[in-house]
Amino acid sequence: MASAAEQLAANMNMGSFAKATELHKRLLFTLLALLVYRLGTYIPIPGINSQAFLQFFQDPDGQRGVLDMFNMFSGGAVERMAVFALNVMPYISASIIVQLMGSVYPPWEKLKKEGGESGRKQLNQYTRYLTVALALAQSFGIAVGLNAQPGLVDEPGLFFIVTTVVSLTGGTMFLMWLGEQVTARGVGNGISLIIFAGIVALLPGTIARLLGLAQQGQMSAFVLLFIAVLAVATVVFIVFMERAQRRLLIQYPKRQEGNRMAGGERSFLPLKVNTAGVIPPIFASSLLLLPTTVAQMTATADLPGWMSWLPFVTGQLSHGQPVFMVLYAALIIFFCFFYTSITFNPEDTAENLRKYGGFLPGIRPGKRTAEYLDYVLTRLTVIGAAYITAVCLLPEILVSQMGNSLYFGGTSILIVVSVTMDTVAQIQSQLLAHQYEGLIKKAKLRGRGGRGAPAPVRR
């Protein structure tokens, strides 16, 4: 027999969606916030020569692999050097640092585990402060690099550096605030949706560029078909892996309640193959962007002799280069295990099962259950890390063979598909909640109209 939730889900249709007015408001707010974000990607920073910078950015002889990745996440704001060029990458880098410190720094670890809601708010405040510091450092490096390039700035000097730092840092802080507002008042995770919107905005241009290459004869029809089939297969594979899970049987013992036996139910503990979600490639990309962006902006400037190695290192950190792929894969695997360890604690789960009388058949409650959960989760994380690494690195290998014409790669598809699935799931949960509230109201009205209604008075 289907559960109540399954019956509600089966009854969801356009009629139920039309009645969910609260969901309409949340969707409208989300769309307006993303529209504001897209408008900001077309506002250039003061003092920049937009046409000269666009020519510099599109120089076929330039090594701009890291800038291309930054441009993808920012929805084309980098090639226009807009106020949102930094996007939310400083915030993501700050989140990485705060989460790492929350695992190794005792005061922050205590805040995370015992602080409750107030502790979480305090850590979020630390993340905001660190975001400001990282955005200032990153925007200052970009400003100095732009100022050193002849022809890119109308009036180079200290005033341009200051205005650039203020504009880029302010843009990042505004996007951080906008993402938090979407999370609280909209649908889905605001930061993820901002990155999602930036990637999707570049998708039509990427498709048009591939079709143009095929029309000009620079790419054969077979290669174009191969790319299309590979993209579809990647999407199907991502959906399959994101929904894959290991379900552990949970048994609850029977107990005597008066003259009858109660309990003895069975349930399942679902463990996703990819517990970390889309976080590892985003974190890995962010950490690669943070040190290399400034290095790449300054690699073409006049460098002293002892820094002659900088252009070579910057070139090796471009897309398709072996060093970049090795570092990218290592960071993805690390963050898969790290983020899984943060989001799922086997000891806490085992303790909760023991507290409510549940147990895994054949496994002793307590420590042995925690060890078994850790054993299963570790092996699932190995599979999940291999899956994410393969999805993100396969297009990198193709980029090394085909150049930047195939820049919309596995990381982009993974983020788009994962964020789409998460947002759709939240919309469905909102609809289920709305239907459930409607059923409760109907039940109350029936109760009042039945035995709860007052009897008529006869005279």
Side-chain angles (χ1 to χ4, degrees):
M1 183 176 180
S3 64
E6 290 174 342
Q7 293 177 5
L8 286 174
N11 293 328
M12 282 197 304
N13 49 35
M14 292 303 296
S16 61
F17 176 79
K19 296 177 183 178
T21 56
E22 178 65 23
L23 179 59
H24 296 168
K25 295 178 182 178
R26 287 180 171 270
L27 287 173
L28 181 61
F29 181 84
T30 303
L31 292 176
L32 289 177
L34 295 180
L35 178 61
V36 170
Y37 159 67
R38 288 303 303 157
L39 291 175
T41 60
Y42 287 89
I43 303 175
I45 61 175
I48 193 74
N49 189 331
S50 302
Q51 295 297 326
F53 182 81
L54 183 61
Q55 294 177 2
F56 167 78
F57 186 85
Q58 295 179 347
D59 183 9
D61 297 328
Q63 294 178 343
R64 61 178 197 278
V66 175
L67 290 181
D68 271 334
M69 185 191 296
F70 221 150
N71 191 55
M72 177 194 70
F73 285 139
S74 64
V78 172
E79 65 181 3
R80 293 182 287 271
M81 195 42 66
V83 293
F84 289 166
L86 287 182
N87 206 263
V88 292
M89 290 305 154
Y91 175 79
I92 294 175
S93 301
S95 301
I96 297 171
I97 296 173
V98 170
Q99 290 186 12
L100 283 171
M101 295 295 291
S103 301
V104 299
Y105 184 53
W108 288 13
E109 186 177 7
K110 185 177 180 180
L111 274 177
K112 184 174 69 173
K113 292 184 177 180
E114 304 175 8
E117 183 66 19
S118 61
R120 185 185 64 83
K121 290 182 178 179
Q122 187 67 35
L123 289 177
N124 286 341
Q125 196 66 19
Y126 292 154
T127 303
R128 296 187 186 100
Y129 294 150
L130 188 56
T131 300
V132 175
L134 292 177
L136 286 171
Q138 204 164 351
S139 59
F140 178 77
I142 293 176
V144 171
L146 290 173
N147 192 69
Q149 298 292 332
L152 296 186
V153 180
D154 294 332
E155 296 181 4
L158 180 62
F159 182 74
F160 170 78
I161 295 176
V162 172
T163 55
T164 300
V165 169
V166 172
S167 300
L168 294 179
T169 304
T172 295
M173 300 310 297
F174 176 78
L175 287 182
M176 182 184 69
W177 173 83
L178 189 65
E180 292 177 349
Q181 294 302 309
V182 170
T183 303
R185 303 171 59 184
V187 178
N189 182 282
I191 300 298
S192 298
L193 282 173
I194 287 175
I195 299 176
F196 165 86
I199 295 174
V200 171
L202 293 183
L203 180 58
T206 302
I207 296 176
R209 185 166 65 250
L210 290 175
L211 292 176
L213 291 174
Q215 187 177 10
Q216 296 170 8
Q218 300 180 20
M219 179 183 295
S220 65
F222 175 77
V223 173
L224 187 63
L225 180 62
F226 172 75
I227 294 174
V229 172
L230 181 64
V232 174
T234 303
V235 171
V236 173
F237 180 61
I238 291 173
V239 172
F240 173 78
M241 293 300 294
E242 290 297 321
R243 292 186 176 276
Q245 57 182 226
R246 170 77 182 276
R247 303 177 71 188
L248 299 180
L249 177 64
I250 305 295
Q251 180 72 47
Y252 291 92
K254 295 183 178 180
R255 61 184 183 275
Q256 185 78 26
E257 290 185 357
N259 295 327
R260 64 186 185 89
M261 297 293 294
E265 296 92 355
R266 291 184 177 185
S267 63
F268 292 95
L269 176 64
L271 298 178
K272 291 186 63 177
V273 173
N274 180 26
T275 307
V278 75
I279 296 299
I282 295 179
F283 278 12
S285 301
S286 178
L287 278 191
L288 281 177
L289 285 172
L290 184 61
T292 54
T293 302
V294 177
Q296 196 166 45
M297 293 297 295
T298 57
T300 56
D302 294 333
L303 299 174
W306 61 274
M307 292 188 65
S308 59
W309 50 269
L310 186 59
F312 174 77
V313 173
T314 304
Q316 291 300 312
L317 290 175
S318 300
H319 278 276
Q321 297 297 326
V323 176
F324 174 84
M325 288 190 285
V326 170
L327 289 177
Y328 194 34
L331 287 174
I332 288 175
I333 294 172
F334 168 76
F335 281 117
C336 281
F337 282 92
F338 171 73
Y339 200 76
T340 300
S341 66
I342 291 177
T343 56
F344 188 91
N345 191 326
E347 295 181 358
D348 292 345
T349 305
E351 180 62 24
N352 290 332
L353 286 176
R354 187 189 64 80
K355 186 184 300 183
Y356 293 102
F359 63 92
L360 299 174
I363 307 294
R364 285 187 177 183
K367 183 179 180 181
R368 293 298 300 274
T369 299
E371 293 175 350
Y372 180 74
L373 291 176
D374 183 67
Y375 172 84
V376 174
L377 191 65
T378 301
R379 278 146 185 78
L380 289 177
T381 307
V382 170
I383 300 175
Y387 137 70
I388 295 180
T389 305
V391 168
C392 294
L393 284 190
L394 179 60
E396 295 293 336
I397 298 174
L398 295 178
V399 165
S400 63
Q401 302 296 324
M402 303 178 59
N404 289 333
S405 59
L406 189 64
Y407 188 73
F408 195 85
T411 306
S412 311
I413 298 176
L414 178 64
I415 293 174
V416 168
V417 175
S418 300
V419 174
T420 301
M421 292 175 61
D422 179 65
T423 305
V424 170
Q426 291 201 28
I427 292 175
Q428 289 178 341
S429 66
Q430 295 265 353
L431 285 175
L432 284 174
H434 175 75
Q435 284 190 303
Y436 185 69
E437 291 175 358
L439 290 177
I440 291 177
K441 290 180 181 179
K442 289 181 180 178
K444 289 182 178 180
L445 290 175
R446 283 198 298 267
R448 291 174 183 174
R451 57 181 184 227
V457 178
R458 294 183 179 179
R459 294 182 180 181

